[in-house]
C-alpha cells in the first residue's frame, strides 16, 4: 500500500518569508503527485501536480514543487508567502496504474502579517 | 458552477438514525470517490466507482455504510444506525479515467452525530 508523510504539522511564518513543506511517499512504482490546498471554510483545491517530465513543477499563486525520485519526495516551496496563503496543505499520491489517491495528514500554515 | 456538488453541506443527526448524502460529480468524469476527513487528518479513502461499478472499498467503510452510483452519474453514501464516531467531513471527488489524472473535490458534507 502507498503512504504519504508530511513532516511539518503546523508552520507559522511572517509575510515575505520563504516556505518549504516536506512530503515523502512510499511506493515503488510510477506515481502521480499532487499538492492540494484547503483555505478556511473552502474545499480542497489543486495547487499543482506532477505526472511526468520536468521534476520541477509550477502551480498557482507562485507555488512550486520538486519531485526527487531517489528520495521519494515532492516538497512544496514558495519564495515569499503572503497572509492569504494561510491554509491547510495536503500532499497526495496515486499510482499511475491505481485508483485511489493517498493523502498526508496535512500541514497547517499560518502567515502572520 | 460545474464543479463537484455535495448535499447537504451540514447534517446533524441523533445517534442511531440513518443519513444519506449525495454527490454530483463533474459531468464528464467517470470516476467518483468518497473520502472521510476528521480534524487534523488528511482525507481517508472510503470507496471508489468507475461509472456505476464500485471497484474498491476501504476497511473504514463498515457494514453500516453503503454507497451507490446507479446510473454512473450521481452517487449516494448512506450511513445506517449512526454512531458518534461517524462524525466527520465526508468528501466526494471525481476524475477522468486514465493514468495521469487529478481529482476534483466537492465542498463536503459535515456530519455531526449527537
Amino acid at each position: 500500500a502507498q503512504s504519504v508523510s508530511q513532516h511539518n504539522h503546523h508552520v507559522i511564518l511572517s509575510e515575505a518569508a520563504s516556505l518549504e513543506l516536506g512530503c515523502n511517499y512510499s511506493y515503488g512504482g510510477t506515481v502521480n503527485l499532487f499538492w492540494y490546498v484547503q483555505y478556511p471554510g473552502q474545499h480542497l483545491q489543486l495547487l499543482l501536480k506532477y505526472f511526468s517530465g520536468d521534476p520541477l513543477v509550477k502551480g498557482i499563486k507562485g507555488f512550486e514543487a520538486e519531485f526527487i525520485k531517489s528520495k521519494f519526495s515532492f516538497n512544496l516551496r514558495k519564495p515569499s508567502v503572503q497572509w492569504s496563503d494561510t491554509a491547510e496543505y495536503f500532499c497526495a499520491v496515486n499510482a499511475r496504474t491505481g485508483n485511489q489517491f493517498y493523502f498526508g495528514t496535512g500541514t497547517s500554515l499560518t502567515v502572520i502579517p | 458552477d460545474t464543479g463537484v456538488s455535495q448535499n447537504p453541506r451540514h447534517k446533524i443527526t441523533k445517534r442511531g438514525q440513518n443519513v444519506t448524502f449525495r454527490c454530483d460529480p463533474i459531468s464528464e468524469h467517470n470516476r467518483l470517490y468518497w473520502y472521510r476527513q476528521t480534524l487534523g487528518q488528511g482525507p481517508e479513502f472510503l470507496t471508489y466507482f468507475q461509472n456505476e461499478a464500485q471497484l474498491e472499498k476501504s476497511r473504514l467503510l463498515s457494514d453500516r455504510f453503503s454507497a451507490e452510483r446507479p446510473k454512473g452519474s450521481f452517487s449516494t453514501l448512506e450511513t445506517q444506525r449512526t454512531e458518534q464516531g461517524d462524525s466527520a467531513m465526508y468528501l466526494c471527488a471525481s476524475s477522468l479515467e486514465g493514468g495521469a489524472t487529478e481529482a476534483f473535490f466537492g465542498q463536503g458534507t459535515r456530519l455531526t452525530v449527537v
Side-chain angles (χ1 to χ4, degrees), chain A residues 32 36 43 46 49 96 100-101, chain B residues 35 42 45 56 99 102-103 106:
Chain A
N32 302 317
Y36 283 84
H43 64 287
L46 185 69
K49 61 192 177 188
R96 188 63 61 84
Q100 61 171 291
F101 294 77
Chain B
Y35 281 81
F45 173 77
E56 196 170 342
E102 68 216 54

Side-chain angles (χ1 to χ4, degrees), chain A residues 32 34 36 38 41-46 49 51 88 90 94-106, chain B residues 9 31 33 35 37 40-43 45 48 50 55-56 91 95 98-108:
Chain A
N32 302 317
F34 310 87
Y36 283 84
Q38 190 169 28
Q42 296 190 26
H43 64 287
L44 281 164
Q45 302 170 40
L46 185 69
K49 61 192 177 188
F51 293 147
E88 193 90 16
F90 295 94
N94 80 328
R96 188 63 61 84
T97 57
N99 303 319
Q100 61 171 291
F101 294 77
Y102 293 85
F103 284 82
T105 53
Chain B
R9 294 286 308 279
R31 289 183 172 178
Y33 311 80
Y35 281 81
Q37 186 177 18
Q41 298 296 318
F45 173 77
Y48 150 76
Q50 180 150 314
L55 297 185
E56 196 170 342
L91 302 172
S95 74
T101 183
E102 68 216 54
F104 294 81
F105 282 82
Q107 295 202 315

